Amino acid sequence: MGEATGVAAAVAVFAGLGGLAACLAGLAALRELRRLRRVGVPGLALVRERLHGPEDRSAVSRPLPQFSTGDGRVVEVNSPVPSSRRSAR
């Protein structure tokens, strides 16, 4: 029974450390969110599907967020992650 107790304690410590890491990540995200709400400028963005050109090597489509700045310029940002939408191809 002593060996089972040791294994259970090790699992409990491992789970506790994982929970602590998740809690710290959540607190950091809340801090960043509060900072953005305090000093950030709200804005709207349009997310378009990027059209594939002949130079594109990837078959995965990526979203292309597009937003306007305070001085009226339109900025497009290439997304580093593929679209989560499933295509019917």
Side-chain angles (χ1 to χ4, degrees):
M1 188 140 150
E3 186 176 324
T5 305
V7 171
V11 169
V13 167
F14 186 71
L17 289 175
L20 178 65
C23 182
L24 290 175
L27 288 174
L30 281 174
R31 180 177 177 209
E32 181 71 9
L33 180 64
R34 288 185 186 120
R35 184 189 69 79
L36 286 173
R37 284 185 177 162
R38 187 176 62 247
V39 299
V41 178
L44 296 175
L46 171 70
V47 180
R48 299 181 12 212
E49 184 176 356
R50 184 169 168 256
L51 299 175
H52 290 288
E55 69 279 354
D56 290 333
R57 293 185 208 117
S58 175
V60 179
S61 76
R62 298 186 186 279
L64 185 65
Q66 191 179 63
F67 60 94
S68 61
T69 61
D71 58 359
R73 292 180 295 147
V74 176
V75 178
E76 291 182 344
V77 181
N78 288 325
S79 176
V81 296
S83 175
S84 61
R85 185 180 63 180
R86 299 186 192 245
S87 62
R89 292 184 225 182

